[in-house]
Amino acid sequence: MLADMVTAGSRVADVGCDHGFLPIWLVQAGVSPGALAMDVRKGPLAAAREHIEARGLGDYIETRLSDGLKGFAVGEAETLVCAGMGGRLMERILTDSPEKARGFAELILQPQSELREFRAFLRREGYAVLREEAVCEDGKFYFAMKAVPGAGGNRDGRDAQTAPGDGAESRERRICDRFGEGLLLRKDPVLRQYLEWRRKGLEKLADTLEKGQPESERQRIRRQEVLAELWDVEYALQHMQSVTPPQAAGHGI
């Protein structure tokens, strides 16, 4: 999924490369002429170096110990890949080195958590999400997006934190942030599978919380959060099952 989102001919900087398999594949397949495999941990970086050398790609892929983009210089690569880590960590990587992050032609991003918050972050910072993909492997769901800097977002610090029943624009923005506007608009089958799985989990959790008596304030707040997310899941599923085409402008859900 990630490799398919990289523009052919671009040099890649893989931040948090782990064992280096993505840059290895990109170079072997002829997608990228070269790559930087970067990680903050010495162990995974050593493993990546071994895998690279074993395939005779030492002249094409450089390994570099780096905390985020701190060890990267603008112009060394056109594509940033940042995948397999928490959304808040990815936010930190992009905000710690904003000029470097905005120096890439494209960013391939795959947060493992806090997806709603991360999508809202991209919008606030002016990144435009051009493409979204989703896969399910071994019972786990993974969501990735291709973003470009300086082509979208409002950068005004506002976010959609409203509850069900508030304005349609706020509601739809919140749902797009939570599940991905591109996936919703094309009614992606993997997203539908995720929504159905998530609905079952939330219904079970809400039932468990409701049975907890006497209900503490913490339980009450948590149950409200669960019900709010469940409402969003139901709304998204209704859209996925609708035959009505998306609106021509704005959020089409």
Side-chain angles (χ1 to χ4, degrees):
M1 174 178 66
L2 296 172
D4 187 54
M5 299 177 84
V6 174
T7 298
S10 63
R11 185 172 170 85
V12 172
D14 185 2
V15 173
C17 68
D18 201 22
H19 292 172
F21 293 129
L22 179 62
I24 287 172
W25 190 93
L26 289 169
V27 171
Q28 283 185 324
V31 175
S32 298
L36 286 169
M38 306 166 70
D39 206 289
V40 71
R41 299 167 297 170
K42 293 181 179 180
L45 199 65
R49 190 176 299 113
E50 290 180 7
H51 295 146
I52 292 165
E53 295 297 337
R55 291 162 176 81
L57 298 176
D59 291 338
Y60 301 94
I61 304 174
E62 177 186 344
T63 58
R64 189 176 296 177
L65 190 67
S66 176
D67 182 2
L69 289 167
K70 293 179 180 178
F72 174 82
V74 175
E76 290 188 292
E78 295 77 46
T79 299
L80 169 66
V81 174
C82 196
M85 63 188 77
R88 296 201 184 279
L89 176 56
M90 289 173 59
E91 284 186 31
R92 182 183 68 77
I93 290 171
L94 296 178
T95 54
D96 279 355
S97 305
E99 286 79 17
K100 294 179 181 180
R102 293 182 181 279
F104 289 99
E106 62 186 14
L107 296 83
I108 312 301
L109 307 164
Q110 187 257 307
Q112 291 284 78
S113 60
E114 297 104 13
L115 271 79
R116 173 186 170 185
E117 293 80 4
F118 187 72
R119 289 188 180 104
F121 160 78
L122 290 177
R123 186 181 66 251
R124 290 195 307 270
E125 293 299 310
Y127 289 93
V129 176
L130 303 184
R131 177 180 171 188
E132 294 183 84
E133 299 293 341
V135 295
C136 181
E137 182 176 319
D138 295 332
K140 295 183 179 180
F141 293 90
Y142 302 90
F143 299 89
M145 56 202 79
K146 175 187 281 194
V148 294
N154 53 28
R155 304 206 68 185
D156 61 2
R158 292 180 295 175
D159 194 11
Q161 299 290 344
T162 53
D166 286 349
E169 182 179 354
S170 297
R171 176 192 62 202
E172 291 179 358
R173 172 173 286 184
R174 183 185 67 247
I175 291 172
C176 286
D177 283 345
R178 194 186 289 280
F179 304 121
E181 184 172 7
L183 298 172
L184 286 162
L185 286 176
R186 75 167 183 263
K187 301 183 180 181
D188 184 86
V190 177
L191 177 61
R192 183 197 299 269
Q193 184 183 357
Y194 169 80
L195 290 170
E196 292 171 347
W197 169 81
R198 187 63 178 158
R199 177 173 60 183
K200 291 179 182 178
L202 290 168
E203 287 174 342
K204 184 177 180 180
L205 180 55
D207 185 59
T208 300
L209 290 169
E210 189 173 5
K211 289 178 180 178
Q213 297 296 332
E215 184 180 49
S216 66
E217 179 65 12
R218 183 176 179 181
Q219 284 177 307
R220 184 187 68 79
I221 293 173
R222 177 58 181 147
R223 185 162 61 88
Q224 288 179 336
E225 292 172 346
V226 169
L227 291 175
E229 184 180 350
L230 181 58
W231 187 92
D232 285 352
V233 168
E234 293 284 5
Y235 186 89
L237 276 170
Q238 288 176 16
H239 164 74
M240 300 286 280
Q241 295 162 0
S242 170
V243 295
T244 305
Q247 298 172 9
H251 295 299
I253 65 170

